[in-house]
């Protein structure tokens, strides 16, 4: 689900982060304390080789994924994807996952969406999938009504973007409008098909699956070609593989930058130690407090809120993520600043990480 997100403007020490937790406790909320076990999400931890992950052996980890990142890439997507798929076939097993993301471009002249979108071609155990995601000019979460006057225009534009991708990929997917929202469904109801990342107007992403591991290689290459001649940022996600398998993937097209993402189980008070391990490029996230906004503001709309800790080289920030804005837009920042005791800025999450 799409979320609204604000973050503190400056860097904080970890002691200042914990002080915000104490502040929240005085308001009747239940923030995590330093000894509480939490899940810390690590992203963009740059490594020279896969065995560098051993530096996190002090903690239990899961969902470990190695990414190959190519910036300003101008190659043949079919050859790149085919190379990864060939290695995947050698090492595939239950729990292994490989996907390649590449931007694509829809028609210009949009009012509510960005023309640059993203797709993922993926292989998971014994099937393949193609996932298509679009990006909106602004985030209007489910339940928010501030764009209802332009709902028809939002839906028509989104439908046209998805139909552009569906046509390029030659997928048997149908679109309709039901109960004021866009609906996508496969022509064959038995097809594994998933819609996700919804906002107030319907899904922003769909995924179409096939038992034919080769089915999407050529169609995905057609979609990638819509981005030419502009250089592309390409990411490959590798989950559940042994080090020999990762070495084989690294040889597909050498030169990619390698970064890890994973979940780390640790005490809240250990976050500075985790951050020191993944610096200087790595980033971490963890939850400080979850609550319903009407606990603090009975007069406002109810929303689910998460106050999170974001760690990067140089210190920490706080983020607040909500499933909807409980107050009018012009009052949101001031309310959050009173809650946290720090200035905040509106900062939606990047759409294609």
């Amino acid at each position: 689900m799409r979320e609204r997100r604000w973050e503190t403007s400056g860097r904080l020490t970890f002691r200042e982060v914990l002080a915000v937790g104490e502040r929240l406790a005085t308001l009747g909320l239940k923030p995590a304390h330093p000894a509480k076990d939490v899940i810390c999400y690590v992203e963009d931890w740059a490594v020279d080789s896969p065995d560098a992950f051993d530096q996190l052996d002090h903690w239990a980890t899961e969902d470990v994924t190695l990414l190959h990142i190519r910036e300003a890439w101008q190659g043949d997507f079919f050859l790149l994807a085919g190379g990864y798929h060939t290695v995947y076939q050698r090492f595939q097993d239950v729990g292994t996952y490989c996907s390649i993301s590449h931007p694509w471009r829809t028609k210009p002249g949009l009012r509510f969406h960005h023309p640059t979108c993203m797709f993922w071609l993926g292989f998971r155990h014994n099937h393949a999938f193609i996932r298509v995601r679009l990006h909106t000019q602004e985030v209007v979460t489910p339940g928010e009504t501030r764009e209802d006057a332009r709902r028809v225009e939002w839906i028509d534009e989104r439908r046209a973007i998805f139909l552009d991708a569906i046509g390029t990929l030659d997928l048997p997917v149908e679109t309709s409008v039901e109960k004021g929202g866009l609906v996508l469904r496969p022509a064959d109801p038995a097809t594994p098909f998933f819609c996700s990342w919804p906002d107030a107007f319907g899904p922003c992403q769909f995924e179409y699956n096939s038992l034919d591991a080769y089915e999407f290689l050529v169609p995905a290459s057609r979609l990638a070609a819509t981005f030419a001649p502009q250089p592309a940022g390409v990411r490959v996600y590798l989950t559940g593989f042994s080090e020999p398998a990762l070495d084989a993937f690294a040889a597909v097209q050498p030169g990619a930058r390698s970064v890890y993402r994973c979940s780390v189980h640790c005490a809240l008070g250990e976050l500075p130690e985790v951050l020191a391990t993944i610096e200087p490029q790595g980033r971490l996230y963890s939850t400080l407090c979850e609550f319903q906004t009407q606990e603090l503001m009975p007069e406002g709309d109810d929303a689910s809120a998460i106050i999170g800790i974001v760690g990067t080289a140089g210190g920490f920030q706080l983020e607040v993520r909500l499933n909807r804005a409980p107050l009018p837009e012009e009052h949101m920042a001031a309310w959050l600043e009173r809650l946290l005791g720090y200035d905040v800025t509106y900062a939606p999450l990047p759409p294609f990480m």
Side-chain angles (χ1 to χ4, degrees):
M1 180 181 295
R2 305 298 301 276
E3 294 178 309
R4 308 296 304 281
R5 180 181 181 274
W6 286 259
E7 65 184 16
T8 51
S9 303
R11 296 290 181 180
L12 304 176
T13 66
F14 193 64
R15 184 181 297 275
E16 289 171 325
V17 168
L18 295 180
V20 172
E22 295 169 0
R23 176 191 183 96
L24 298 173
T26 65
L27 298 175
L29 302 181
K30 298 178 180 179
H33 52 80
K36 180 178 174 59
D37 290 332
V38 297
I39 297 177
C40 166
Y41 300 96
V42 168
E43 292 185 351
D44 291 342
W45 176 26
V47 295
D48 294 326
S49 63
D51 59 8
F53 191 82
D54 295 344
Q55 296 175 62
L56 288 178
D57 279 353
H58 178 67
W59 300 280
T61 57
E62 60 183 350
D63 302 325
V64 179
T65 299
L66 181 67
L67 281 73
H68 290 171
I69 299 177
R70 295 171 172 85
E71 306 289 356
W73 184 76
Q74 289 183 294
D76 186 316
F77 181 82
F78 181 83
L79 293 179
L80 180 69
Y84 276 96
H85 180 248
T86 297
V87 176
Y88 178 80
Q89 287 183 306
R90 289 170 50 198
F91 295 98
Q92 67 174 330
D93 201 350
V94 176
T96 56
Y97 171 92
C98 170
S99 70
I100 306 103
S101 70
H102 190 290
W104 65 281
R105 185 178 289 109
T106 189
K107 297 177 177 62
L110 303 176
R111 296 173 60 196
F112 309 111
H113 301 78
H114 290 282
T116 297
C117 309
M118 190 69 69
F119 75 87
W120 287 258
L121 170 64
F123 312 102
R124 186 186 293 119
H125 190 35
N126 61 350
H127 70 274
F129 66 84
I130 188 79
R131 182 186 304 142
V132 174
R133 179 183 294 181
L134 51 77
H135 180 27
T136 56
Q137 296 281 358
E138 61 177 309
V139 178
V140 186
T141 60
E144 291 187 332
T145 59
R146 55 196 165 90
E147 282 292 302
D148 274 6
R150 300 193 291 181
R151 174 172 292 274
V152 172
E153 292 95 325
W154 269 88
I155 292 172
D156 286 348
E157 185 172 285
R158 181 166 307 175
R159 189 177 194 175
I161 297 170
F162 275 136
L163 286 173
D164 188 14
I166 290 166
T168 302
L169 294 168
D170 194 22
L171 295 177
V173 175
E174 301 168 349
T175 68
S176 62
V177 179
E178 300 176 11
K179 298 180 180 179
L182 180 64
V183 175
L184 307 173
R185 57 172 60 92
D188 180 357
T191 300
F193 182 82
F194 310 98
C195 291
S196 56
W197 226 47
D199 65 4
F201 312 103
C204 294
Q205 175 174 286
F206 73 79
E207 179 181 303
Y208 192 101
N209 288 255
S210 173
L211 291 176
D212 182 351
Y214 298 90
E215 180 172 352
F216 303 126
L217 284 169
V218 171
S221 300
R222 290 198 301 266
L223 197 57
T226 64
F227 203 68
Q230 185 175 338
V234 177
R235 291 186 167 214
V236 179
Y237 304 77
L238 304 167
T239 303
F241 294 101
S242 63
E243 287 192 14
L246 295 176
D247 290 339
F249 280 118
V252 171
Q253 281 193 16
R257 183 165 61 93
S258 294
V259 304
Y260 268 113
R261 65 168 50 169
C262 66
S263 301
V264 177
H265 293 261
C266 64
L268 183 76
E270 293 179 301
L271 292 183
E273 188 177 349
V274 176
L275 182 58
T277 303
I278 65 174
E279 285 181 328
Q281 292 94 351
R283 183 171 61 249
L284 65 77
Y285 304 84
S286 193
T287 296
L288 179 63
C289 187
E290 298 183 53
F291 63 97
Q292 295 297 124
T293 57
Q294 283 192 338
E295 295 179 41
L296 301 178
M297 194 172 45
E299 72 281 5
D301 293 332
D302 197 24
S304 298
I306 297 176
I307 297 176
I309 302 168
V310 182
T312 55
F316 294 89
Q317 289 176 286
L318 292 171
E319 65 171 7
V320 184
R321 296 161 66 165
L322 302 107
N323 66 333
R324 60 180 297 179
L327 294 173
E329 294 298 304
E330 62 271 21
H331 300 313
M332 280 300 304
W335 175 66
L336 293 172
E337 288 170 354
R338 290 194 300 271
L339 178 64
L340 300 178
Y342 292 97
D343 292 342
V344 301
T345 56
Y346 186 59
L349 288 173
F352 303 136
M353 296 297 289

